[in-house]
Amino acid sequence: MTERISPALARRIALAAQGFGVARPSHVDRGHLRGVVKRLGLHQIDSVNVLVRAHYLPAFSRLGAYDPGLLDRAAWAGRRERRLFEYWAHEASLLPLATHPLLRWRMARADRGEAGYAGMRVFARERRAEAMAVLARIRQEGPLAASDFEASRTGWWEWSLSKRMLEWLFYAGHITTATRRRSFERVYDLTERVIPPAILALPTPPEALAHRLLIDQSARALGIATAGELRDYFRLGPEEATAAIEILVEEGVLVPATVPGWPPAFLHREARRPRRIEARALLAPFDPLIWERARTERLFGFRYRIEIYVPQDKRQHGYYVLPFLFGDRLVARVDLKADRQASRLLVHAVHLEPAAPAETKAALGVELEALASWLGLSAVDSADENRGGR
């Protein structure tokens, strides 16, 4: 049977699936952070550091102030502490270790030269020996970054070439991220020296089963979603995603649903259906609640584009703009920058949505103060004149 879901209920289902609508803990520990990562399935990595790097923000949006060192240790500590690994999922992402077996099919395809851009695939085939020489150097010398090859200046070790080789080795699963340097440069090591043995020993599921398990994770994280949104979460191909969805519908894991104004959708059978959502959060541009812009517009009536690469005189809302979630709606956009030298959170502009409730500015003020405190900044400096409307 197909369920009929109202747009308002679909919005609440999506928010609940993403971890909103519950009280933030008074103290955040490793268990809380693990819970967020497990719920979302991944944290997208982005190196832009105007405010704080984007992979730190989803946990703050849901939990409030927490020690970013918890995430650092989970992602880039030694084997004993490591709980996350880096790989291409939605984009470059931090993922729970348990997801590693579900993405080995992608690594195998890359190793065969069946995945990745053309400049990368060449190292799986005619230039494989060169890439294997890079791998051999890491095996012999230990963890290395692309800049280490650049510094060696051994003829063909041109930086762009070595970087592409490293990226192919990473995509193909031969190496992974051991740690990150202060500049956020990735440092690579052999996968078997980074991923815990117990994870590497887990069986590799057949591709079709891995696709079903990834779609199931996507559906849990989204609550209700179109086929395209389920596929996009882990960037699966249309045919493999369609086949996985069909089987999950047959098994009752996914329930077909209609939402007015939406393409055909699917509801996860365990999705919560809250009558009300109370939330207050600033959202990173790459938060999984809003990273799919068409879905964001359908859920919230909120057209959102990141304008980092737009010339300044053509920007509508600012350089690094975070949507503000209040209740179950996106009610404002806030252009933010962390001035670490002056210890100030700079609020360049606030753009209120036309239907923003009267309490929006007060609620936003509370969240900005919380954000500044979490970032270790001593004050919030707001623009002289906040702008309303879109």
Side-chain angles (χ1 to χ4, degrees), residues 46-54 56 182 184 308 319-320 337-338 340 375:
D46 188 78
S47 61
V48 174
N49 199 23
V50 175
L51 180 67
V52 63
R53 290 194 170 95
Y56 293 110
R182 288 182 65 86
F184 204 61
I308 288 176
Y319 181 78
Y320 199 73
K337 176 181 174 64
R340 295 173 179 86
L375 294 176

Side-chain angles (χ1 to χ4, degrees), residues 35 94 115 134 143 259 263 283 376:
L94 287 171
V134 172
V259 183
L283 303 171

Side-chain angles (χ1 to χ4, degrees), residues 3 5 9-10 13-14 219-220 222-226 230 249 252-257 265-273:
E3 290 208 34
I5 304 292
L9 178 55
I13 290 171
R220 289 176 184 275
L222 295 171
I224 186 169
T226 67
L230 293 173
V249 168
V253 176
L254 298 181
V255 179
F266 300 91
L267 180 73
H268 195 279
R269 64 183 175 189
E270 296 180 12
R272 290 179 51 233
R273 307 185 191 201

Side-chain angles (χ1 to χ4, degrees), residues 281-302:
L282 288 158
L283 303 171
F286 310 107
D287 191 293
L289 179 66
I290 58 171
W291 68 28
E292 214 295 319
R293 308 309 190 201
R295 174 179 171 86
T296 301
E297 197 159 352
R298 282 200 309 274
L299 281 171
F300 300 102
F302 187 93

Side-chain angles (χ1 to χ4, degrees), residues 201-390:
L202 293 173
T204 301
E207 281 196 19
L209 175 57
H211 298 154
R212 291 199 298 276
L213 293 171
L214 290 171
I215 290 289
D216 177 64
Q217 284 193 24
S218 303
R220 289 176 184 275
L222 295 171
I224 186 169
T226 67
E229 291 158 2
L230 293 173
R231 175 172 69 86
D232 178 69
Y233 210 84
F234 286 98
R235 297 290 166 87
L236 303 179
E239 292 185 6
E240 56 206 26
T242 298
I245 290 169
E246 288 176 354
I247 293 175
L248 291 173
V249 168
E250 291 175 4
E251 294 175 346
V253 176
L254 298 181
V255 179
T258 60
V259 183
W262 284 39
F266 300 91
L267 180 73
H268 195 279
R269 64 183 175 189
E270 296 180 12
R272 290 179 51 233
R273 307 185 191 201
R275 295 183 179 181
R276 186 178 179 86
I277 290 284
E278 294 291 344
R280 189 189 70 226
L282 288 158
L283 303 171
F286 310 107
D287 191 293
L289 179 66
I290 58 171
W291 68 28
E292 214 295 319
R293 308 309 190 201
R295 174 179 171 86
T296 301
E297 197 159 352
R298 282 200 309 274
L299 281 171
F300 300 102
F302 187 93
R303 188 179 188 277
Y304 177 53
R305 301 292 186 273
I306 188 167
E307 298 180 86
I308 288 176
Y309 305 109
V310 176
Q312 185 173 355
D313 61 343
K314 295 183 179 180
R315 292 179 193 138
Q316 289 185 286
H317 301 108
Y319 181 78
Y320 199 73
V321 174
L322 276 64
F324 179 51
L325 173 68
F326 185 42
D328 67 350
R329 304 304 299 258
L330 297 179
V331 297
R333 309 157 196 263
V334 194
D335 185 16
L336 296 175
K337 176 181 174 64
D339 184 344
R340 295 173 179 86
Q341 186 173 359
S343 192
R344 295 289 189 270
L345 176 62
L346 305 181
V347 184
H348 292 309
V350 176
H351 300 265
L352 300 180
E353 291 295 285
E359 314 94 292
T360 295
K361 286 188 177 181
L364 176 59
V366 171
E367 195 65 12
L368 288 170
E369 291 287 349
L371 177 62
S373 176
W374 176 59
L375 294 176
L377 305 174
S378 60
V380 176
D381 283 357
S382 297
D384 292 337
E385 181 178 350
N386 290 344
R387 288 174 259 175
R390 299 190 189 205

Side-chain angles (χ1 to χ4, degrees), residues 156-223:
W156 61 274
W157 292 110
E158 177 188 355
W159 187 92
S160 60
L161 179 64
S162 60
K163 176 65 174 176
R164 282 186 284 132
M165 291 182 190
L166 289 164
E167 284 301 305
W168 174 73
L169 290 166
F170 177 83
Y171 202 11
H174 296 292
I175 58 177
T176 190
T177 307
T179 188
R180 292 271 186 166
R181 291 179 176 167
R182 288 182 65 86
S183 62
F184 204 61
E185 183 182 21
R186 182 187 281 158
V187 180
Y188 304 91
D189 199 0
L190 302 181
T191 298
E192 58 266 30
R193 294 201 296 231
V194 175
I195 303 296
I199 298 299
L200 295 176
L202 293 173
T204 301
E207 281 196 19
L209 175 57
H211 298 154
R212 291 199 298 276
L213 293 171
L214 290 171
I215 290 289
D216 177 64
Q217 284 193 24
S218 303
R220 289 176 184 275
L222 295 171

